């Protein structure tokens, strides 16, 4: 996949397809940008100045797989920057039903907009769109907003932002023990987050999953290659006391072919009052959402529950990504002075 990509550097970002191309300087820069922009937006003058950043730019939100958070946070991130948005969420309303090919549809979007944000049920579609863009006279950046059960790079960016903010006073992400729990086999968020972990030293991962939904070998091979230690267990209770963060995921029932998810005793992979009692006092609980029964709503009241803040962090991280793509990060200085 990665041969189709324009690699980002600290100073540029074009397509956002595969989290493996993100290095630490760019991650740090995006996190810093997200925080600076959310601070600037707190005043009316700052919010107005942000709206003046990209008023001539247009985004296509092409989401043919369901989404609440990613769609709304990208939509609002665009509006924060003064961008206009178009959308297709139901392919039955596009000319694909008349037989237009995927490539022709993407090329058509690119005729009208300056960036394409896309979520698809199939893996590899965003990479295919980026490759197509790389071969046409007026390419526009493509952002992968979730591709099948494969990757969700902007979710991983917002997860890094959440971890970094949460551990700001505790040495950052370096050296932390991070648990990932649930359907790790079919969850694209944990796959993408694992890839970004190579940027942090001393991190240890603990995968907590039913055997049939364990992390896939390709991700484990990547972790081995980058010497990121991980252990695997199906015993949540034993794993909890060592964790600085637990990243909970739901069963990805949409990929079931014969009700596989129903065979799982989800109570063994869920957070409620007994699990809170075994978690460090300063640990955090994350979840990409939407949640199922794996986090009891009563946990929302616990100060360690980070998932609602994580959701909001997503909008600011997506603002930062758009700012980097359009190369206007140097104008944030003047906005901070208004
Ligand atoms: N986390 C996430 O991708 O949520 P949505 O499916 O609602 O976009």
């Amino acid at each position: 996949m990665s041969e189709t990509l324009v690699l980002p550097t600290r100073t540029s970002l074009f397509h956002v397809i595969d989290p493996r191309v993100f290095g630490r300087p760019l991650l740090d820069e995006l996190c810093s940008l997200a925080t600076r922009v959310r601070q600037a937006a707190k005043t009316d003058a700052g919010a107005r100045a942000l709206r003046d950043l990209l008023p001539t730019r247009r985004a296509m939100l092409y989401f043919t797989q369901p989404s609440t958070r990613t769609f709304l946070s990208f939509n609002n991130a665009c509006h924060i920057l003064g961008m206009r948005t178009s959308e297709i969420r139901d392919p039955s309303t596009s000319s694909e039903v008349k037989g237009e090919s995927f490539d022709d549809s993407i090329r058509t979007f690119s005729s009208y907009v300056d960036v394409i944000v896309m979520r698809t049920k199939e893996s590899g579609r965003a990479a295919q769109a980026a490759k197509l863009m790389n071969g046409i006279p007026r390419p526009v950046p493509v952002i992968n907003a979730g591709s099948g059960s494969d990757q969700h790079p902007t979710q991983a960016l917002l997860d890094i932002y959440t971890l970094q903010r949460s551990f700001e006073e505790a040495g950052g992400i370096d050296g932390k023990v991070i648990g990932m729990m649930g359907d790790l086999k079919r969850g694209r968020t944990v796959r993408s987050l694992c890839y970004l972990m190579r940027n942090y030293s001393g991190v240890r991962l603990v995968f907590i999953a039913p055997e049939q939904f364990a992390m896939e070998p390709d991700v484990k091979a990547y972790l081995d290659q980058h010497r990121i230690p991980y252990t695997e267990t199906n015993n949540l209770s034993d794993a909890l006391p060592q964790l600085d963060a637990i990243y909970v995921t739901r069963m990805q029932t949409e990929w079931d072919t014969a009700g596989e998810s129903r065979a799982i005793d989800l109570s063994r992979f869920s957070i409620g009052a007994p699990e809170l009692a075994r978690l460090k006092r300063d640990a955090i609980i994350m979840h990409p959402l939407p949640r199922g029964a794996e986090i009891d709503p009563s946990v929302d009241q616990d100060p360690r529950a980070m998932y609602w803040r994580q959701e909001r962090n997503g909008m600011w991280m997506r603002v930062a990504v758009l700012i980097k793509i359009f190369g206007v990060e140097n104008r944030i200085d003047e906005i901070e002075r208004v």
Side-chain angles (χ1 to χ4, degrees):
M1 191 189 287
S2 54
E3 79 277 9
T4 66
L5 308 180
V6 176
L7 295 181
T9 66
R10 188 179 162 78
T11 53
S12 73
L13 185 61
F14 197 67
H15 302 306
V16 178
I17 305 297
D18 183 330
R20 281 171 286 195
V21 300
F22 282 83
R24 178 73 179 260
L26 184 56
L27 292 174
D28 287 348
E29 187 183 1
L30 286 169
C31 289
S32 165
L33 258 179
T35 297
R36 292 171 64 199
V37 168
R38 78 194 298 167
Q39 288 300 331
K42 286 185 196 298
T43 65
D44 286 350
R48 273 195 299 273
L50 285 169
R51 276 202 302 278
D52 282 342
L53 262 186
L54 294 170
T56 62
R57 299 294 188 158
R58 295 181 294 275
M60 175 71 201
L61 304 180
Y62 178 55
F63 278 60
T64 54
Q65 193 194 34
S67 166
T68 298
R69 275 146 289 274
T70 313
F71 176 82
L72 286 175
S73 60
F74 264 117
N75 199 31
N76 284 288
C78 289
H79 296 166
I80 285 167
L81 296 169
M83 296 173 65
R84 280 166 290 163
T85 52
S86 307
E87 66 186 63
I88 288 180
R89 302 198 68 179
D90 176 356
S92 73
T93 64
S94 91
S95 283
E96 285 170 272
V97 290
K98 300 177 206 161
E100 186 163 51
S101 68
F102 173 80
D103 280 10
D104 284 0
S105 296
I106 296 293
R107 185 154 185 175
T108 299
F109 302 155
S110 77
S111 299
Y112 305 128
V113 301
D114 303 291
V115 58
I116 298 170
V117 185
M118 56 184 289
R119 168 173 290 195
T120 57
K121 188 176 178 196
E122 306 82 17
S123 301
R125 285 299 212 189
Q128 182 182 342
K131 187 173 182 183
L132 172 75
M133 287 298 112
N134 290 346
I136 67 172
R138 184 186 177 276
V140 304
V142 175
I143 301 177
N144 178 1
S147 51
S149 58
D150 184 25
Q151 296 298 327
H152 195 347
T154 63
Q155 175 75 42
L157 294 175
L158 78 89
D159 292 338
I160 287 293
Y161 182 43
T162 301
L163 286 162
Q164 196 193 83
R165 277 174 77 79
S166 302
F167 298 131
E168 211 154 31
E169 314 275 292
I173 299 173
D174 297 321
K176 297 296 181 292
V177 181
I178 299 171
M180 297 186 185
M181 180 169 79
D183 185 348
L184 304 183
K185 181 183 176 71
R186 305 179 297 183
R188 57 192 173 199
T189 62
V190 282
R191 291 174 58 79
S192 289
L193 186 55
C194 280
Y195 285 149
L196 291 187
M197 286 301 155
R198 77 171 168 87
N199 293 291
Y200 300 91
S201 62
V203 165
R204 187 159 63 81
L205 302 178
V206 181
F207 296 139
I208 308 152
E211 286 82 355
Q212 56 273 53
F213 293 105
M215 184 59 81
E216 287 279 58
D218 63 328
V219 174
K220 291 193 274 192
Y222 184 86
L223 296 173
D224 289 337
Q225 183 191 347
H226 292 277
R227 295 190 174 81
I228 302 164
Y230 61 86
T231 53
E232 297 183 274
T233 179
N234 59 17
N235 190 323
L236 171 62
S237 184
D238 283 357
L240 277 170
Q242 63 185 304
L243 303 180
D244 297 301
I246 180 160
Y247 191 103
V248 186
T249 65
R250 66 182 172 87
M251 295 305 298
Q252 307 283 313
T253 50
E254 62 270 40
W255 303 112
D256 280 2
T257 52
E260 301 90 308
S261 301
R262 287 200 298 275
I264 301 301
D265 175 6
L266 196 62
S267 66
R268 293 174 51 219
F269 303 96
S270 298
I271 303 286
E275 290 73 28
L276 289 180
R278 292 185 63 74
L279 195 60
K280 285 182 189 173
R281 288 162 61 93
D282 56 355
I284 61 165
I285 304 163
M286 297 172 65
H287 193 309
L289 302 176
R291 73 171 147 193
E294 65 280 351
I295 297 185
D296 189 276
S298 66
V299 175
D300 297 6
Q301 307 306 320
D302 192 286
R304 293 168 289 186
M306 202 53 63
Y307 31 91
W308 298 114
R309 273 182 266 179
Q310 181 183 354
E311 184 176 77
R312 189 161 171 78
N313 288 342
M315 182 175 74
W316 295 114
M317 176 49 82
R318 287 165 177 139
V319 169
V321 167
L322 290 166
I323 286 173
K324 276 301 289 178
I325 284 176
F326 291 111
V328 290
E329 61 272 24
N330 292 337
R331 292 183 52 199
I332 303 302
D333 284 347
E334 52 191 83
I335 290 174
E336 286 173 322
R337 288 194 291 271
V338 298

